[in-house]
Amino acid sequence: MQPRRQPPPAPGARAPRPAGPGLALLLWLVLQGAAAAPAGPAEDPGAPQAVGLPRGILQQAARAALHFFNFRAASPSALRVLGAVHEGRARVDPQKGCKVELVFSTESYNLEAGEDHLGKCSAQVFFKNQKPRPAINVTCTRLLGKEKRRQEDYRLYTQLKQLQSPFRGSLPDSHGRIEASLRPLWDLAFLGSSYVMWEKTTQFSQYYLAQLRSVNQWKMSGDAVDFDYTVLLHEFPTQEILPCRIRLIWYPGKPLKVKYQCQELQTPEEASGTVEGSAVAPTELIHL
């Protein structure tokens, strides 16, 4: 069965990743005192950039905000993907980083035939100089109703609890398909990966979930489902494929618990992540 939505498409070509702190100062000199004009549509990477705004920074901020939103919502049925960026402003402090304020539209990650789950989000995203894990405050409206979301999450939870044997293989398959019976595994992997992608995003790099390589389901005495995933994250603009092992514990209506380890050269503070003890900005879910 062909899924309604495949992993988000790769963005257009990007400039090489800045390699040193001197570029941050250069960026500031370009932006000093200049407020960004309204952004063009997200789907047109070739459109002229707003004066003083680094190329792609609004889309970068919108995707980071959505990674954070998806993780904090902790609901596979509430997963969102980027529609278009409508407006935004960026300001750079050479000592601290880049602050972006923006408004963007979203779509439901799993659209059913004939449904139109559009929404709008406003966000403040602060990229710290040369550091991952931007600080984010995001508010989204026109979401799936609370009761409908609870029912959908519990249905998915029941499917996961009834799995008879651990999944072995990759999702999507070589033809880009995900069988309906395996869709809950992908959705949960997408949910857990959102935390990892938010933590690793900087103003110069962003991540997409490219593939789910393996899943191990742990036996727990409690009601939560406990999975150990191996995923491949596609990083832009370097085009690197980053393998990450993610341990995820989830129960409908409860905060998501995530721990991970990625195979790459990292500084000690980036080597692994966990949701426990993280100081994060609030996420607001408003149902209209």
Side-chain angles (χ1 to χ4, degrees), residues 172-277:
D173 63 19
S174 59
H175 301 287
R177 296 187 298 241
I178 302 175
E179 294 296 331
S181 61
L182 299 176
R183 186 77 205 197
L185 291 176
W186 173 267
D187 289 347
L188 206 59
F190 190 95
L191 185 62
S193 297
S194 295
Y195 174 73
V196 181
M197 293 187 287
W198 160 60
E199 278 224 328
K200 301 187 75 60
T201 293
T202 73
Q203 67 193 88
F204 303 120
S205 63
Q206 56 187 304
Y207 294 83
Y208 297 86
L209 175 60
Q211 195 173 79
L212 170 60
R213 294 295 299 271
S214 66
V215 180
N216 287 320
Q217 185 172 6
W218 293 69
K219 298 295 184 181
M220 296 187 65
S221 57
D223 292 329
V225 292
D226 186 351
F227 285 100
D228 192 339
Y229 288 103
T230 299
V231 301
L232 299 182
L233 302 182
H234 196 174
E235 192 269 344
F236 291 87
T238 68
Q239 306 295 321
E240 292 180 356
I241 297 297
L242 179 65
C244 294
R245 184 176 177 180
I246 301 175
R247 179 78 180 271
L248 179 148
I249 300 175
W250 176 70
Y251 185 81
K254 301 294 184 181
L256 189 67
K257 295 182 179 181
V258 180
K259 294 183 179 181
Y260 71 90
Q261 181 73 41
C262 296
Q263 299 175 18
E264 64 173 342
L265 296 177
Q266 301 164 314
T267 63
E269 68 177 7
E270 297 176 58
S272 62
T274 176
V275 65
E276 290 89 357

Side-chain angles (χ1 to χ4, degrees), residues 20-265:
L23 289 173
L25 178 59
L26 178 61
L27 177 63
W28 174 74
L29 291 174
V30 174
L31 289 175
Q32 186 179 25
E43 62 271 14
D44 185 7
Q49 296 295 302
V51 176
L53 196 63
R55 178 173 293 275
I57 191 64
L58 293 184
Q59 287 76 20
Q60 191 93 334
R63 292 187 178 102
L66 274 179
H67 289 326
F68 181 78
F69 173 85
N70 285 332
F71 154 65
R72 287 297 299 270
S75 169
S77 63
L79 288 171
R80 316 293 286 179
V81 293
L82 181 62
V85 176
H86 299 290
E87 58 181 299
R89 301 171 67 87
R91 297 181 184 277
V92 173
D93 182 326
Q95 302 301 320
K96 296 181 180 180
C98 179
K99 181 178 181 181
V100 182
E101 298 178 353
L102 72 162
V103 175
F104 57 93
S105 60
T106 68
E107 296 179 358
S108 173
Y109 184 71
N110 292 318
L111 286 176
E112 298 295 335
E115 292 186 350
D116 187 19
H117 292 164
L118 297 178
K120 183 170 287 188
C121 299
S122 59
Q124 294 181 339
V125 180
F126 181 68
F127 294 103
K128 293 165 283 188
N129 278 340
Q130 307 297 322
K131 293 183 179 180
R133 199 173 185 265
I136 293 172
N137 195 336
V138 56
T139 300
C140 293
T141 62
R142 293 189 63 188
L143 304 173
L144 189 66
K146 184 176 181 180
E147 182 61 24
K148 180 69 176 297
R149 189 174 74 244
R150 187 190 68 80
Q151 293 174 358
E152 289 296 312
D153 283 348
Y154 193 79
R155 180 183 59 81
L156 183 146
Y157 165 79
T158 301
Q159 288 181 261
L160 293 171
K161 292 286 284 187
Q162 292 175 346
L163 291 176
Q164 297 299 313
S165 59
F167 170 78
R168 291 289 186 273
S170 298
L171 293 179
D173 63 19
S174 59
H175 301 287
R177 296 187 298 241
I178 302 175
E179 294 296 331
S181 61
L182 299 176
R183 186 77 205 197
L185 291 176
W186 173 267
D187 289 347
L188 206 59
F190 190 95
L191 185 62
S193 297
S194 295
Y195 174 73
V196 181
M197 293 187 287
W198 160 60
E199 278 224 328
K200 301 187 75 60
T201 293
T202 73
Q203 67 193 88
F204 303 120
S205 63
Q206 56 187 304
Y207 294 83
Y208 297 86
L209 175 60
Q211 195 173 79
L212 170 60
R213 294 295 299 271
S214 66
V215 180
N216 287 320
Q217 185 172 6
W218 293 69
K219 298 295 184 181
M220 296 187 65
S221 57
D223 292 329
V225 292
D226 186 351
F227 285 100
D228 192 339
Y229 288 103
T230 299
V231 301
L232 299 182
L233 302 182
H234 196 174
E235 192 269 344
F236 291 87
T238 68
Q239 306 295 321
E240 292 180 356
I241 297 297
L242 179 65
C244 294
R245 184 176 177 180
I246 301 175
R247 179 78 180 271
L248 179 148
I249 300 175
W250 176 70
Y251 185 81
K254 301 294 184 181
L256 189 67
K257 295 182 179 181
V258 180
K259 294 183 179 181
Y260 71 90
Q261 181 73 41
C262 296
Q263 299 175 18
E264 64 173 342
L265 296 177

